[in-house]
Amino acid sequence: GNPSGSLFIDLEEVEFNDLAQTGTISVSNDDNQDAVQIQFGSLYQLTQTMTIRGRVLVDGNNEADILSSGYDRLNPVKIAATWDIDFFKLYINGVLIQTITNLGAVPLNTDRIGFSYGDQSNNFFGKVNGIQYFDEVISESDAIQLTTI
């Protein structure tokens, strides 16, 4: 498996209910222990504000974690994550939010796109316009252009 990649999510809106206040879209291997996750979270189900979290998991361990808050869950959001062994970058709405460097490890064999709601279910509540996954890192200028609203 390739140790680098890019994930793009064009999100229309996210919904939360009283069962859980998180939703996740990820690329992962078959046991979900190696993954790049984009998580959407809310403090409680009726709030319109959400946080967006980008995570890199290897063997179930957190190798990188970026959190950005203050997004309206009912408005479109465009997200990109790019990674290789040297860095993990999270872009939201045309802005590079943060770069984490010198990852100890990166996911391998990420051959599936998954949706989950809360910690267990295989559902995602919301509207997604599109998801793209590349097994290479796209340039910062391309990532900014692809995520600009």
Side-chain angles (χ1 to χ4, degrees), residues 4 7 9 18 22 26 31 35 38 45 51-52 57-58 70 80 89 92 99 104 106-107 118-119 122 137 145:
S4 62
L7 173 65
I9 301 170
D18 53 6
T22 60
S26 63
D31 64 4
I38 304 297
Q45 62 268 27
T51 58
I52 298 174
L57 296 176
V58 178
K89 295 182 179 185
I92 302 174
T99 301
V106 289
D119 292 326
N122 292 316
V137 174
Q145 185 176 353

Side-chain angles (χ1 to χ4, degrees), residues 41-96:
S42 175
L43 291 176
Y44 53 97
Q45 62 268 27
L46 298 179
T47 187
Q48 220 173 298
T49 303
M50 69 175 176
T51 58
I52 298 174
R53 181 182 185 190
R55 295 175 70 201
V56 177
L57 296 176
V58 178
D59 293 330
N61 298 314
N62 225 359
E63 295 292 339
D65 200 336
I66 298 172
L67 186 66
S68 188
S69 58
Y71 299 94
D72 185 333
R73 66 179 178 80
L74 299 180
N75 281 346
V77 178
K78 293 185 179 183
I79 302 152
T82 62
W83 65 92
D84 68 15
I85 193 68
D86 295 319
F87 65 82
F88 174 63
K89 295 182 179 185
L90 182 67
Y91 302 83
I92 302 174
N93 294 346
V95 177
L96 173 58

Side-chain angles (χ1 to χ4, degrees), residues 5 7 24-29 34-38 54-57 81-83 88 106-107 110 112 133:
L7 173 65
T24 303
I25 299 174
S26 63
V27 290
S28 65
N29 65 353
D34 282 26
V36 174
Q37 299 178 331
I38 304 297
R55 295 175 70 201
V56 177
L57 296 176
T82 62
W83 65 92
F88 174 63
V106 289
T110 49
R112 62 195 61 212
Y133 169 69

